Amino acid sequence: MFGLDTASFLLAWLIEALLLFLLYVLRAGGVGTASGLAVGIFFSLALLELARFSLYLLIGVILIQAVISWISPYAPLAPLFNMITAPFLRPFRRFIPPVGNVDLSPLFALVAAQLLLIPLEYLARSVALLL
């Protein structure tokens, strides 16, 4: 769906929800404390945490790709990191031309990812307070 692997996404989402539920049970001291409303909160918090983790992973991969492209652009892993980051850097490369033969799109992608993390952090904290 939309070029995304929904089976992997669904599995990661369910694992994240299960992990959050287990952490909640350990903190609260029993399964009986989780209500029906809490299940919906677990799934929404799991979705937010998965989005946050994905953005952090994207930031790390973009940093690795940028360092590899500066140090050794013909390294064996360079095509792999280029392939992973290309869909995220492509919109920035359309509007930001290279300056002095240096691609600045990773810098703008990192800033955009950081700006996306701000509301996700706020939403995750707000939803976590409902538990």
Side-chain angles (χ1 to χ4, degrees):
M1 183 165 78
F2 304 114
L4 300 174
D5 185 10
T6 53
S8 298
F9 172 74
L10 182 62
L11 181 64
W13 185 33
L14 291 175
I15 289 172
E16 184 69 31
L18 179 65
L19 176 68
L20 288 172
F21 177 73
L22 291 175
L23 288 174
Y24 177 76
V25 168
L26 287 174
R27 186 179 59 146
V31 178
T33 59
S35 67
L37 178 64
V39 173
I41 294 172
F42 286 129
F43 281 116
S44 60
L45 187 58
L47 186 64
L48 291 171
E49 290 294 324
L50 188 61
R52 276 186 45 216
F53 180 72
S54 299
L55 280 174
Y56 280 123
L57 188 63
L58 176 66
I59 289 170
V61 170
I62 288 175
L63 285 174
I64 291 171
Q65 188 263 341
V67 169
I68 286 177
S69 71
W70 294 332
I71 294 174
S72 177
Y74 301 109
L77 289 177
L80 173 69
F81 286 106
N82 287 334
M83 184 179 63
I84 292 171
T85 59
F88 300 102
L89 297 178
R90 192 175 302 123
F92 297 103
R93 287 182 176 151
R94 280 189 209 141
F95 300 110
I96 303 166
V99 176
N101 217 10
V102 174
D103 184 18
L104 296 178
S105 60
L107 177 68
F108 286 95
L110 289 173
V111 169
Q114 287 292 331
L115 289 175
L116 285 173
L117 276 173
I118 294 170
L120 281 177
E121 294 279 346
Y122 177 73
L123 282 172
R125 286 184 185 158
S126 299
V127 171
L129 286 176
L130 295 174
L131 291 174

